[in-house]
């Protein structure tokens, strides 16, 4: 009987823990549902000068499209310069960037310090050496496969003008939502992050997180840090965690839109998300003490630290730990009577069945609300928007084995191959 009670207690403890830790996400969801896309009417005091920084590794097929979209901005061309670092390239990325009209292209060859963080730091150091760093009040970070909406810079300048932001993230859309269930899974997740997370944080006066690409960083922050000293596998999350720990605020600009290309194969997706998961653990290990200390102080800055802790301590890891706890209970059954073992097994099957059902139902609902809310912004056919909804929860479920693998495996940064927008358009 005690064993049965222990199993029931474990069920309740795990369910209660998840509910308490992540309940604030329900508030974000409610705010996101109430707050539609809004037009920011703030009139900036002036037009600032910015630089776009792009780290590109073997991206000759897409780099020209990104530069072309930056040159079509509804913003004075003389106030936006474009700098490329062709990082360990074995193709014609540098020549393609120069031909497309980049302000300057730097070539970097370093097989020991590999990754986007090192490349960006190198690029900023070169700008300092060339004595052009101080020309700019802010720096945009893009990936080579991005396409930038014509109003991106002007909208970012509008938000930046309000002051008080160390960085500003954007509305991250996708170039290839409808290509397959993997690209749709990524796309729904990033759209959900914009509508039901960052938009809610901004509305509540909280701090956001930068996410990989399409964000603006204050030149003052880069000057304070001496460049870009963020070299973990998820350098964007590392930057966000450090900002939260130091009480710096990251904003969100709903009107600034980029289109990002998502991986198309499951193998590519697994490799990328394995790196992300490993990077989450790295950031957790490095910043958790400072974040917890700030959480204890309370207030909005304290909550920002709690929020990012819930991001870098993934729910899938908590799920894995719950599974380990259950394994301990099952091992205890080896010494129990047969009737008790049958009851424990029945409770175990019932628990995992209920957990899977709740997981699937929750993410399906999240995906449905995201697609319906962002329907007009999704670049895909109507049937494609609906077709991939049922498999979105399964896409998210694959994070569990990925996160468990990341716990034990050494992970290195690897590039993801990208296609041009014209190639992607031809698939529809």
């Amino acid at each position: 009987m005690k064993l049965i009670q222990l199993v029931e207690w474990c069920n309740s403890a795990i369910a209660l823990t998840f509910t308490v830790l992540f309940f604030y996400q329900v508030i974000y969801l409610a705010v996101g549902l109430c707050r539609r896309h809004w037009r920011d009417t703030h009139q900036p005091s002036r037009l600032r000068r910015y630089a776009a920084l792009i780290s590109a590794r073997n991206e000759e097929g897409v780099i020209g499209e990104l530069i072309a979209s930056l040159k079509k901005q509804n913003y004075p061309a003389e106030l936006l310069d474009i700098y490329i670092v062709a990082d360990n390239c074995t193709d014609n990325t540098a020549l393609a960037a120069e031909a497309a009209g980049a302000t300057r292209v730097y070539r970097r060859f370093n097989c020991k310090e590999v990754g986007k963080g090192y490349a960006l730091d190198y690029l900023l150091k070169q700008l300092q050496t060339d004595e052009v760093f101080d020309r700019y009040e802010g720096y945009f970070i893009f990936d080579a496969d991005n396409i930038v909406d014509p109003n991106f810079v002007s909208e970012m300048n509008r938000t930046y003008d309000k002051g008080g932001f160390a960085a500003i993230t954007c509305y991250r859309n996708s170039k290839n939502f409808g290509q397959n269930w993997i690209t749709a899974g990524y796309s729904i997740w990033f759209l959900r992050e914009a509508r039901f997370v960052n938009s809610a944080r901004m509305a509540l006066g909280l701090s956001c997180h930068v996410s990989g690409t399409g964000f603006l960083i204050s030149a003052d922050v880069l000057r304070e840090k001496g460049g870009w000293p963020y070299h973990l596998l998820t350098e964007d999350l590392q930057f966000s965690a450090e900002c939260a720990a130091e009480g710096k605020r990251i904003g969100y600009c709903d009107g600034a839109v980029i289109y990002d290309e998502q991986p198309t194969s499951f193998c590519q997706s697994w490799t990328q998300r394995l790196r992300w998961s490993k990077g989450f653990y790295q950031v957790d290990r490095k910043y958790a003490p400072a974040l917890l200390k700030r959480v204890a102080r309370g207030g909005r800055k304290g909550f920002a630290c709690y929020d990012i802790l819930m991001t870098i301590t993934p729910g899938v890891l908590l799920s894995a730990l719950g599974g380990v706890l259950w394994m301990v209970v099952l091992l205890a059954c080896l010494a129990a009577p047969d009737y008790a073992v049958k009851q424990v097994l029945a409770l175990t099957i019932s628990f995992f069945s209920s957990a899977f059902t709740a997981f699937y139902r929750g993410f399906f609902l999240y995906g449905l609300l995201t697609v319906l809310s962002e329907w007009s912004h999704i670049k895909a056919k109507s049937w494609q928007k609906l077709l991939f909804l049922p498999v979105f929860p399964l896409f998210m479920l694959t994070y569990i084995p990925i996160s468990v693998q990341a716990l034990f495996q050494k992970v290195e940064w690897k590039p993801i191959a990208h296609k041009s927008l014209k190639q992607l358009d031809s698939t529809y």
Side-chain angles (χ1 to χ4, degrees), residues 276-326:
W276 289 353
S277 296
K278 191 71 173 184
F280 279 25
Y281 298 144
Q282 291 176 341
V283 175
D284 198 358
R285 183 169 57 251
K286 182 168 184 175
Y287 292 96
L291 291 170
L292 285 169
K293 185 177 180 181
R294 191 99 194 186
V295 169
R297 298 181 188 177
R300 290 181 178 177
K301 292 181 179 179
F303 185 80
C305 292
Y306 175 80
D307 192 5
I308 201 166
L309 275 172
M310 292 300 99
T311 301
I312 63 179
T313 307
V316 288
L317 176 59
L318 297 176
S319 300
L321 294 176
V324 171
L325 179 60
W326 268 106

Side-chain angles (χ1 to χ4, degrees), residues 41-245:
T41 58
H42 172 75
Q43 295 300 315
S45 59
R46 57 194 173 87
L47 300 180
R48 293 163 171 78
R49 189 172 186 181
Y50 299 105
L53 306 182
I54 303 152
S55 170
R57 182 172 181 177
N58 292 340
E59 301 280 16
E60 64 174 316
V62 295
I63 189 69
E65 292 171 349
L66 169 58
I67 294 172
S69 70
L70 288 171
K71 286 184 167 294
K72 294 177 182 177
Q73 291 295 298
N74 296 323
Y75 199 79
E78 66 274 13
L79 297 182
L80 178 65
D81 293 329
I82 305 168
Y83 295 98
I84 313 292
V85 53
D87 186 37
N88 289 315
C89 291
T90 57
D91 69 353
N92 294 318
T93 294
L95 294 177
E98 289 170 345
T103 304
R104 182 159 184 182
V105 179
Y106 296 89
R107 293 163 174 81
R108 176 181 182 266
F109 297 96
N110 188 328
C111 295
K112 293 183 179 180
E113 296 179 335
V114 177
K116 179 180 174 182
Y118 288 110
L120 289 176
D121 194 37
Y122 170 87
L123 182 51
L124 286 166
K125 295 281 195 302
Q126 293 302 308
L127 297 183
Q128 291 171 339
T129 299
D130 293 344
E131 298 183 347
V132 297
F133 178 87
D134 291 329
R135 293 180 184 175
Y136 310 105
E137 294 190 50
Y139 286 84
F140 294 107
I141 307 295
F142 296 107
D143 286 343
D145 58 291
N146 295 158
I147 297 294
V148 184
D149 181 82
N151 294 318
F152 184 93
V153 176
S154 60
E155 291 297 325
M156 279 289 206
N157 183 69
R158 187 192 307 275
T159 301
Y160 189 67
D161 186 73
K162 295 177 181 178
F165 297 114
I168 302 170
T169 190
C170 73
Y171 181 93
R172 187 174 178 180
N173 210 326
S174 296
K175 295 188 328 190
N176 57 335
F177 181 105
Q179 199 161 6
N180 59 38
W181 70 281
I182 298 167
T183 60
Y186 276 101
S187 303
I188 292 172
W189 183 253
F190 288 129
L191 290 170
R192 167 253 172 207
E193 184 178 68
R195 177 62 180 265
F196 296 118
V197 182
N198 281 330
S199 180
R201 288 166 174 160
M202 193 70 169
L204 296 171
L206 302 173
S207 184
C208 303
H209 306 160
V210 300
S211 180
T213 185
F215 56 94
L216 169 65
I217 305 176
S218 164
D220 290 338
V221 171
L222 293 173
R223 194 175 292 109
E224 173 191 335
K225 299 298 179 181
W228 186 254
Y230 305 104
H231 304 143
L232 299 182
L233 289 171
T234 48
E235 79 288 333
D236 52 342
L237 192 61
Q238 182 184 2
F239 171 74
S240 299
E242 187 165 286
C243 282

